[in-house]
Amino acid sequence: MYDIEGIYQAKSAADAIAALRDDPKALVISGGSDLLIKIREGKLAGCRLVSIHSLPELTGVSMDAGGRIRIGPATTFSHITNDPVVQKHLPMLGEAVDQAGGPQLRNIGTIGGNVCNGVTSADSASTLLTLNAMLELTGPDGARLVPLERFYKGPGRVDLAHAELLTAIFIEKSDYEGFGGHYIKYAQRNAMDIATLGCAVNVKLSADRKAVADLRLAYGVAAPTPIRCRGTEALAAGRGIDAELFELVAETAATEVAPRTSWRASKEFRVQLVKELSRRALDRAIKHAGGAADA
């Protein structure tokens, strides 16, 4: 049973924002895969909900004339994985969200919910970080754009006011064209499990495919929030593809993360995963970008 005082089905994003503005205690629900669990556990007993489920303006993937990709936050994981724009231009993102939970969760869970939960284990987060994703946040006073990297404020905390909605995720053409990427999720089980650690690598190679022109490296569960390893990225730029590159990326990344010990894994084990997954993900990303890795 779910202890819910009431639920309002919004007719549009603007209607949902108005409902949230008028009810300071209301919560947004879309897929509900996380929120309903909290309600069932009694953490949000007696809450009031504003549903944005399946609002057309918040669902789907599209590309504008300039190549900028827009992802609606209420788009489910399964729709993202199977969307032709994602498959052609953002295959790394489709593969990442296809590792979230099981088929039932992927059919109801939304990318917007995954981002706005603020959890470091979100399977979409590290990949979106390597794509320099921008978030459109809309409230009573209008819309603002926030880089995903600045959206996370701490464990479970994000830069989203009560009456604001995430209304779009944008990825610029310059952040995916010419890149090859790969996401690796390490978990205790092969399916339907939260990540012990997640690693995303996005790489653009030099014209001769023998050196790194641009490297983006991000992790989940390696810090209180999803994290980009900016220092590692800077050191890797311009380096040739050889064993030294892989060692540099692995060892430098380990100095930028701050994992903790939990019942899933020790801090030391997670640091080892940071190194090993970076090597594996970089190898695959280079190959996806048209290069030949030499780890």
Side-chain angles (χ1 to χ4, degrees):
M1 296 294 292
Y2 296 97
D3 186 357
I4 299 172
E5 181 177 325
I7 182 167
Y8 175 70
Q9 176 61 58
K11 302 174 183 64
S12 65
D15 186 37
I17 292 166
L20 291 170
R21 180 198 59 207
D22 294 340
D23 187 349
K25 294 185 178 180
L27 302 172
V28 175
I29 185 169
S30 183
S33 56
D34 290 311
L35 185 64
L36 290 176
I37 291 174
K38 294 178 181 179
I39 295 172
R40 187 179 62 190
E41 291 175 344
K43 296 176 181 177
L44 299 171
C47 64
R48 294 185 294 275
L49 304 177
V50 174
S51 175
I52 59 171
H53 181 67
S54 297
L55 289 179
E57 65 197 282
L58 298 181
T59 59
V61 181
S62 61
M63 178 188 290
D64 67 18
R68 183 173 72 164
I69 295 174
R70 179 190 184 277
I71 302 174
T75 309
T76 64
F77 295 134
S78 57
H79 279 101
I80 288 172
T81 299
N82 293 300
D83 185 88
V85 172
V86 172
Q87 290 180 341
K88 182 177 181 179
H89 300 286
L90 305 174
M92 177 188 183
L93 179 61
E95 293 166 3
V97 300
D98 200 41
Q99 298 180 51
Q104 297 92 337
L105 182 142
R106 292 193 293 272
N107 284 336
I108 64 167
T110 64
I111 192 167
N114 205 226
V115 168
C116 290
N117 277 341
V119 296
T120 185
S121 59
D123 288 306
S124 67
S126 53
T127 295
L128 288 172
L129 282 176
T130 68
L131 291 165
N132 287 336
M134 296 290 293
L135 306 183
E136 179 187 76
L137 309 176
T138 306
D141 298 323
R144 60 191 177 104
L145 284 176
V146 176
L148 178 62
E149 193 171 10
R150 294 214 319 257
F151 185 63
Y152 296 108
K153 297 300 182 183
R157 295 189 295 110
V158 295
D159 181 17
L160 187 68
H162 170 73
E164 282 187 316
L165 286 181
L166 171 60
T167 47
I169 300 170
F170 291 112
I171 299 170
E172 298 293 338
K173 184 177 182 179
S174 59
D175 287 314
Y176 66 80
E177 189 175 55
F179 281 86
H182 190 65
Y183 171 74
I184 298 179
K185 172 181 179 176
Y186 181 93
Q188 295 182 10
R189 298 182 297 177
N190 290 332
M192 298 181 68
D193 201 0
I194 295 173
T196 301
L197 194 95
C199 174
V201 173
N202 221 5
V203 64
K204 179 185 284 188
L205 303 180
S206 59
D208 62 5
R209 301 290 190 268
K210 293 183 178 180
V212 172
D214 190 354
L215 174 73
R216 284 95 175 270
L217 173 64
Y219 290 97
V221 208
T225 66
I227 183 175
R228 275 277 292 267
C229 292
R230 294 285 187 174
T232 304
E233 295 172 358
L235 289 174
R239 291 193 174 255
I241 300 171
D242 54 23
E244 291 184 3
L245 170 67
F246 287 82
E247 190 66 16
L248 171 72
V249 168
E251 293 300 325
T252 308
T255 69
E256 293 194 79
V257 298
R260 67 181 181 90
T261 294
S262 72
W263 68 268
R264 291 183 181 275
S266 67
K267 173 182 177 180
E268 292 75 17
F269 182 59
R270 284 194 166 103
V271 170
Q272 184 60 33
L273 287 175
V274 164
K275 297 179 182 180
E276 183 59 31
L277 296 192
S278 72
R279 295 186 182 100
R280 297 186 188 186
L282 178 58
D283 178 83
R284 293 291 297 275
I286 289 172
K287 290 173 180 176
H288 290 320
D294 182 16

